Amino acid sequence: MLIYDISKLHLPILSSLFEGLHKPVISIGKSVNGSPLWAIEISDKPGLKEAEPAFKFIGNVHGDEPVGREVLMQLAYWLCDNYLKDPLATLIVENTHLHILPSMNPDGFALRRRGNANNVDLNRDFPDQFFPNNDDIKQRQPETRAIMNWIKQEHFTASASLHG
């Protein structure tokens, strides 16, 4: 299994790897320490709003759980490498918009710990309908705010957060 450290990859490299299958890799925000939160859109018509489901995948919410990050990078590479070669990859790319954020917590990953650079568990930093003790968006971590803003911009049909 190949392991890719997306925090060490630069935008032009990522763009060339996924050329033709997505709009350029974008940063949806920055971490506490200023690392970009890279998101990849994989689609046959990137950047366009279509009557197709849009799926959001997030990995590495906890810095000490890198498995989701690696799985999502492998998914992106597999789809791009196999588009128009493999019927399943082609079906997925042509009928969905995949939005992949391999690492929500690049600072925690770099520090090899669960929390971000402020040692906050990002999984617990989102609004909770049953416990509204964290309703002030200004008190949330920058990574959490970036995800919340991203959700407002894109209307995702479904989402998954990979932990491991």
Side-chain angles (χ1 to χ4, degrees):
M1 177 178 191
L2 296 172
I3 298 176
Y4 301 95
D5 184 353
I6 195 168
S7 69
K8 293 190 175 25
L9 294 176
H10 298 288
L11 183 60
I13 295 169
L14 284 174
S15 294
S16 67
L17 288 172
F18 303 109
E19 188 174 341
L21 295 179
H22 69 91
K23 61 187 176 186
V25 176
I26 61 161
S27 173
I28 63 161
K30 293 190 182 255
S31 69
V32 171
N33 287 339
S35 294
L37 303 176
W38 296 117
I40 306 160
E41 179 184 9
I42 299 178
S43 171
D44 62 335
K45 295 181 183 116
L48 298 178
K49 302 293 181 204
E50 296 184 278
E52 293 179 343
F55 295 99
K56 170 177 58 77
F57 295 96
I58 297 176
N60 203 206
V61 175
H62 296 126
D64 62 352
E65 295 179 359
V67 173
R69 168 190 180 112
E70 301 306 324
V71 167
L72 290 176
M73 287 302 296
Q74 289 299 316
L75 173 63
Y77 283 108
W78 180 82
L79 286 168
C80 295
D81 286 345
N82 290 288
Y83 178 58
L84 299 178
K85 298 176 196 169
D86 181 280
L88 180 59
T90 303
L91 179 75
I92 292 168
V93 171
E94 291 181 349
N95 292 287
T96 63
H97 283 263
L98 299 182
H99 300 261
I100 300 173
L101 180 73
S103 184
M104 180 182 169
N105 188 358
D107 298 345
F109 178 78
L111 295 167
R112 296 186 175 125
R113 69 175 182 204
R114 185 175 189 86
N116 67 356
N118 290 333
N119 208 20
V120 172
D121 181 343
L122 297 176
N123 204 42
R124 305 284 180 258
D125 195 43
F126 287 95
D128 186 318
Q129 65 179 345
F130 301 110
F131 301 99
N133 60 347
N134 190 10
D135 284 342
D136 185 4
I137 194 164
K138 294 175 189 163
Q139 292 182 0
R140 296 191 192 287
Q141 298 299 299
E143 299 91 342
T144 308
R145 289 194 307 268
I147 299 296
M148 292 172 71
N149 290 331
W150 190 32
I151 291 169
K152 290 176 187 172
Q153 293 170 7
E154 299 288 341
H155 299 284
F156 298 110
T157 308
S159 65
S161 176
L162 282 69
H163 293 260

